[in-house]
Amino acid sequence: MKRGMSVGLVLLLTISVAYAAGFKGIMKAWRSPTNAAKAMVSGSEPYDAATVRKLLQAYIADSDDIKSHLSTSAESEDLKRRFTAFQSDAKAALGQLDSAAKFKAAYAPVMDNCSSCHDKYRD
């Protein structure tokens, strides 16, 4: 019985570590397009609605994936809440892509959500 529990615990830890690596992989995949969107917001790159639409859609879809793999611990519940807010703001920003100025205003809350989570949970 103890051996079965030990094997189960090792398997659970292995899955958790593998998912954490996947979670970081999602964040790394967001890095380049997020930097491009930030450059558009700052005006150092021309605004491209198609590029930011694709990024926002990735934020929304990937947030569902991330939330579905989190446990029910207090920390995971906090992360789920943060990703839900992030996702909601990304959805709102999707409706503001007809001009760079509208996107800039709508993207600020999305980035604020990123910052709040990274400030608390980065590595």
Side-chain angles (χ1 to χ4, degrees):
M1 180 73 166
K2 287 182 182 180
R3 180 183 171 151
M5 288 176 63
S6 295
V7 169
L9 182 58
V10 168
L11 181 60
L12 179 61
L13 288 172
T14 302
I15 291 169
S16 295
V17 169
Y19 185 73
F23 183 98
K24 286 185 178 188
I26 289 170
M27 298 283 191
K28 285 182 181 181
W30 289 350
R31 185 177 297 143
S32 179
T34 297
N35 287 338
K38 287 178 182 179
M40 289 179 218
V41 166
S42 75
S44 63
E45 292 291 329
Y47 177 67
D48 180 358
T51 298
V52 294
R53 179 182 318 284
K54 185 177 177 182
L55 172 62
L56 293 169
Q57 289 170 334
Y59 287 164
I60 294 163
D62 292 343
S63 291
D64 277 335
D65 183 37
I66 290 167
K67 291 187 300 184
S68 74
H69 288 88
L70 294 171
S71 70
T72 57
S73 70
E75 185 176 276
S76 290
E77 290 301 320
D78 182 54
L79 281 167
K80 286 178 190 177
R81 181 186 58 74
R82 290 170 186 269
F83 273 103
T84 297
F86 173 72
Q87 192 175 42
S88 177
D89 288 338
K91 286 177 183 177
L94 268 176
Q96 302 298 317
L97 300 183
D98 43 324
S99 77
K102 285 184 178 182
F103 171 68
K104 182 178 181 176
Y107 196 58
V110 176
M111 289 292 89
D112 288 345
N113 280 314
C114 284
S115 296
S116 76
C117 201
H118 281 242
D119 289 347
K120 184 167 183 174
Y121 293 108
R122 181 175 269 166
D123 296 330

